[in-house]
Amino acid sequence: MTRTHRLAGRRTPAWALGLAGVVVFLLVLELAPRLGLVDARFLPPASRILAALAERLRTPELWTALGQTLTTWGTGLAISLVAGVVLGVVIGSVSVLRAVTASTIEFLRPVPSVALIPVAVLLYSTGMAGTLLLVVYASFWQVLVQVLSGVQDVDPVASDTARSYRFSPLTRIRTVVWPTTLPYAMTGLRLAASVALILTVTGELLIGTPGIGKLLGIAQSSGAVESMYAYVVVTGLLGVAVNLLARALEGRVLFWHPSVRGEVAA
Amino acid sequence: MTGVLRVLRSVLLTLGLPAVILLAWWFTSAGSTTFYNPPLSAILGTFRETWFSAPLGESRLAVDVVPSVLRLLAGYGIALVAGIALGVAIGSSRALRAFAEPVLEFFRAIPPPVLVPVLMLFLGIGDTMKIVVIAIGCLWPVLLNTVEGVRGLDPVLRDTARAYRLGLVATLRHLVLRGASPQIVTGARQALSIGIILMVISEMFAAKDGLGFSIVQFQRGFAIPEMWSGVILLGVVGVLLSLVFRAVSHAVLRWYLGYRQSQHGGA
């Protein structure tokens, strides 16, 4: 029983099953509104959503908004990456700093970044800076915490060896701390990349910073349901692209690391 | 003597920096006449009267904060149950996993705040909409981590369970859920922070009550000290929830932490 099952599983390749999954999903999305299972005013059939998407893709409006969303996302991510790595390495390497800041980090990290929305609105109105504030606050902690645990993970023998050979602090960071920390930093980057996207879209929806989220909000409030779903699909594709990009970057940067080498061999 | 000193030292280390930051905020804002940046003393002064006004049953704490947190817990609970159940099913079958993976990858990638306008169409702006938004947003991290956890179960343990003819329920309880629990907890932690975000923004979008709703109202009415007190309260709620989460996850993962420690100690 199990054996035949396994053989059958091997015979149908994973990509074919995945494709079947997508097809079934689209069919359900097409048929449910057409058969009246859900109200077509609220959830139009898949074909009409995709048609709306194709139509939107031909407008410059969508591409401008996409560019704006990506700019906010990228800027916020870059700021939090640099700040998180620099502060993480500095705080992590100096034990006094680590002890002094631990409680503050533990307290500030779970503060939801959306709490800053009203502050951002007051300070920056609907400009990009307000959304950036949210994005940086949310993704900075992801990077910082990962880098901190990476620095903690440095092999004490390697660290002592470097010290007894009188490596300068900078050389020590470059040759001992950084290689250990890099995998953690990449995990932080991967988490931060998707959190940053979530908050970019949140800022656009709620604050009204120009971008895909703002277009989505406009489509919703003006009752353009098909366009709204088209924008939802765009944000989903954007999210998939971000995930793939982060994973590819991780593989490329960490090609020497056992976790990645193991994956390739398997 | 050294014990007392050590306790003193750790108290100083824990409270030192927060105290410095608060004092700095207090004194730099003390004489502040800037509209957007009121003195901290004024913010703390309004904090009490804004949230804990006289009869506790009618205070904003009871009317706005408690419903918010209850909605969060309801949605989060639904997401946990559904995510773990679906995750065990998908993780246990290679074919089902291959079938569902691309669609799940897509849904996971949709930023959850986008769900708010979509679900508003179906469910209006009531409690149901908010609970469903939170449940769907929290579902993906739980689901995908459960799938990973179940997939990563030790095949020897699986075969042992089969060889001993452990029943379905016993296998689920002792092997699958136990073995996947570290990943499930990781997913639950990610889900909790997404849940808090969704709790707030579903209320900021459209609501009649709630913490996020109050904060936005204060901001729109330019009641700045009240707004700041709300921001602080929201931060405190976030911190409290994460403390509760940490206590629960420590209890759930006690076996795992001990196991890991013994492994590290042995090596």
Side-chain angles (χ1 to χ4, degrees):
Chain A
M1 172 67 193
T2 335
R3 174 162 293 178
T4 51
H5 184 77
R6 239 180 233 163
L7 282 178
R10 205 167 286 165
R11 211 167 288 154
T12 8
W15 64 263
L17 280 172
L19 193 66
V22 174
V23 170
V24 168
F25 172 72
L26 286 176
L27 268 180
V28 169
L29 211 59
E30 177 73 29
L31 291 178
R34 290 205 186 276
L35 297 175
L37 296 176
V38 290
D39 196 328
R41 278 177 308 157
F42 297 156
L43 178 65
S47 56
R48 286 194 9 225
I49 295 176
L50 292 177
L53 177 63
E55 187 199 316
R56 296 278 103 199
L57 284 176
R58 264 179 266 129
T59 61
E61 201 187 10
L62 178 102
W63 295 102
T64 320
L66 198 61
Q68 286 159 337
T69 301
L70 284 175
T71 312
T72 313
W73 171 79
T75 316
L77 189 61
I79 294 174
S80 35
L81 189 65
V82 172
V85 168
V86 171
L87 284 177
V89 169
V90 170
I91 294 175
S93 321
V94 184
S95 59
V96 179
L97 276 181
R98 206 165 58 221
V100 169
T101 52
S103 62
T104 311
I105 291 175
E106 277 306 298
F107 183 81
L108 287 179
R109 190 160 63 107
V111 170
S113 53
V114 283
L116 296 174
I117 287 178
V119 182
V121 171
L122 284 182
L123 290 180
Y124 303 111
S125 177
T126 61
M128 187 176 111
T131 301
L132 263 183
L133 181 69
L134 305 183
V135 174
V136 171
Y137 188 86
S139 42
F140 167 71
W141 299 112
Q142 306 277 355
V143 180
L144 180 73
V145 168
Q146 288 293 329
V147 171
L148 277 179
S149 43
V151 177
Q152 306 263 67
D153 194 36
V154 169
D155 185 357
V157 176
S159 175
D160 289 347
T161 311
R163 202 165 294 150
S164 54
Y165 277 104
R166 308 222 170 164
F167 279 21
S168 72
L170 269 184
T171 318
R172 210 156 64 208
I173 286 177
R174 197 168 53 80
T175 56
V176 180
V177 176
W178 187 238
T180 316
T181 311
L182 192 57
Y184 288 86
M186 292 312 293
T187 309
L189 174 64
R190 191 155 42 81
L191 295 172
S194 55
V195 167
L197 184 65
I198 292 178
L199 281 141
T200 307
V201 174
T202 304
E204 290 166 358
L205 264 173
L206 279 171
I207 304 180
T209 309
I212 295 284
K214 186 180 182 186
L215 288 184
L216 201 157
I218 294 172
Q220 186 257 343
S221 52
S222 60
V225 177
E226 284 157 20
S227 306
M228 182 188 80
Y229 279 102
Y231 291 129
V232 171
V233 175
V234 172
T235 61
L237 293 176
L238 201 58
V240 172
V242 165
N243 289 345
L244 289 178
L245 198 71
R247 235 174 275 170
L249 187 70
E250 200 174 9
R252 176 158 288 206
V253 173
L254 296 179
F255 67 93
W256 50 272
H257 195 264
S259 70
V260 174
R261 291 205 318 248
E263 255 169 50
V264 173
Chain B
M1 191 59 205
T2 47
V4 176
L5 275 181
R6 199 177 303 145
V7 170
L8 205 68
R9 192 180 121 88
S10 82
V11 167
L12 201 68
L13 283 179
T14 313
L15 299 179
L17 187 58
V20 168
I21 292 174
L22 281 180
L23 283 177
W25 186 2
W26 183 279
F27 285 113
T28 52
S29 69
S32 166
T33 46
T34 324
F35 185 61
Y36 294 143
N37 183 19
L40 183 56
S41 51
I43 296 173
L44 294 181
T46 49
F47 192 86
R48 220 188 124 97
E49 89 194 50
T50 308
W51 301 99
F52 300 94
S53 56
L56 207 59
E58 292 163 31
S59 65
R60 275 189 180 272
L61 185 75
V63 178
D64 285 313
V65 183
V66 173
S68 289
V69 175
L70 286 181
R71 286 192 289 254
L72 171 66
L73 292 180
Y76 186 61
I78 295 173
L80 278 185
V81 173
I84 293 174
L86 283 173
V88 167
I90 295 175
S92 305
S93 152
R94 184 185 295 242
L96 194 56
R97 203 161 60 230
F99 182 75
E101 210 151 47
V103 176
L104 289 184
E105 279 292 320
F106 178 72
F107 271 92
R108 176 181 76 146
I110 296 178
V114 163
L115 297 171
V116 179
V118 172
L119 287 168
M120 260 167 69
L121 285 179
F122 288 91
L123 301 168
I125 64 165
D127 283 352
T128 327
M129 179 276 275
K130 293 180 193 109
I131 293 174
V132 172
V133 164
I134 294 168
I136 296 182
C138 294
L139 177 70
W140 309 114
V142 178
L143 174 64
L144 289 156
N145 279 287
T146 309
V147 169
E148 282 305 305
V150 173
R151 208 172 63 129
L153 284 179
D154 187 351
V156 176
L157 286 179
R158 225 180 228 292
D159 289 346
T160 313
R162 199 175 293 147
Y164 278 100
R165 308 223 169 164
L166 241 58
L168 188 66
V169 176
T171 313
L172 265 183
R173 214 181 111 200
H174 296 298
L175 173 70
V176 179
L177 289 181
R178 231 335 125 82
S181 58
Q183 265 96 342
I184 296 178
V185 168
T186 308
R189 187 177 306 127
Q190 293 170 11
L192 184 62
S193 44
I194 290 180
I196 297 177
I197 292 180
L198 290 173
M199 169 188 98
V200 175
I201 69 171
S202 67
E203 291 166 0
M204 287 183 169
F205 224 86
K208 300 180 294 292
D209 61 357
L211 186 48
F213 172 73
S214 311
I215 296 177
V216 165
Q217 274 228 313
F218 291 142
Q219 177 233 316
R220 292 199 181 133
F222 291 99
I224 304 301
E226 284 84 354
M227 178 199 91
W228 273 106
S229 77
V231 171
I232 292 174
L233 182 63
L234 185 52
V236 171
V237 168
V239 173
L240 286 180
L241 284 171
S242 87
L243 285 178
V244 171
F245 182 88
R246 196 191 294 176
V248 172
S249 67
H250 259 275
V252 171
L253 291 183
R254 178 167 298 158
W255 66 274
Y256 174 71
L257 297 173
Y259 169 74
R260 229 177 36 171
Q261 207 159 35
S262 72
Q263 291 266 307
H264 273 263

